Amino acid sequence: MELKDYKSRKRKLVGVVVNNKMDKTVVVEVSRSLKHPMYHKYIIHKKRYKVHDEGNGCNIGDRVLIMESRPISKEKRWVVKEVLKKEEPIMALEEVGKDDTGEN
């Protein structure tokens, strides 16, 4: 059996980065929609994971694929496998001055 053919048994999840203020760690929020058994409405369950990001390459809003790993610290048991979609940075609007208020 070759190593290429071996399928990893580790769980993989897709989520959005909501916090990247720590060094080599990001917080990823994973959303799942489940149908309520009695009321038949879809309910969104969200869970946050602390994920190891070795290169500090993830920014807030990025969509990432995370994979289960050995325990890295007290709360980190996941690593960033790849960034699926980079979020474009939003340019901050300049402060509105007296001339920009629209009054004559």
Side-chain angles (χ1 to χ4, degrees), residues 11-91:
R11 292 187 295 163
K12 295 180 179 112
L13 299 172
V14 176
V16 179
V17 176
V18 293
N19 188 346
N20 66 345
K21 294 180 181 176
M22 296 171 272
D23 185 33
K24 295 185 180 181
T25 305
V26 292
V27 178
V28 176
E29 187 172 76
V30 176
S31 300
R32 301 170 194 215
S33 63
L34 303 170
K35 190 172 186 179
H36 193 282
M38 183 174 174
Y39 298 114
H40 305 291
K41 290 180 103 176
Y42 285 94
I43 302 168
I44 297 173
H45 287 277
K46 296 178 182 178
K47 187 165 182 186
R48 291 179 168 207
Y49 297 94
K50 288 198 173 71
V51 182
H52 185 68
D53 179 22
E54 183 63 37
N56 286 329
C58 295
N59 292 318
I60 295 174
D62 290 351
R63 193 165 186 78
V64 294
L65 175 71
I66 61 175
M67 188 172 73
E68 200 173 30
S69 73
R70 63 178 179 80
I72 298 167
S73 70
K74 180 182 174 185
E75 296 179 335
K76 284 199 294 187
R77 274 102 173 103
W78 297 83
V79 293
V80 174
K81 186 72 174 169
E82 70 176 286
V83 178
L84 301 174
K85 182 181 175 192
K86 284 288 224 185
E87 185 65 27
E88 296 178 12
I90 299 172
M91 300 300 289

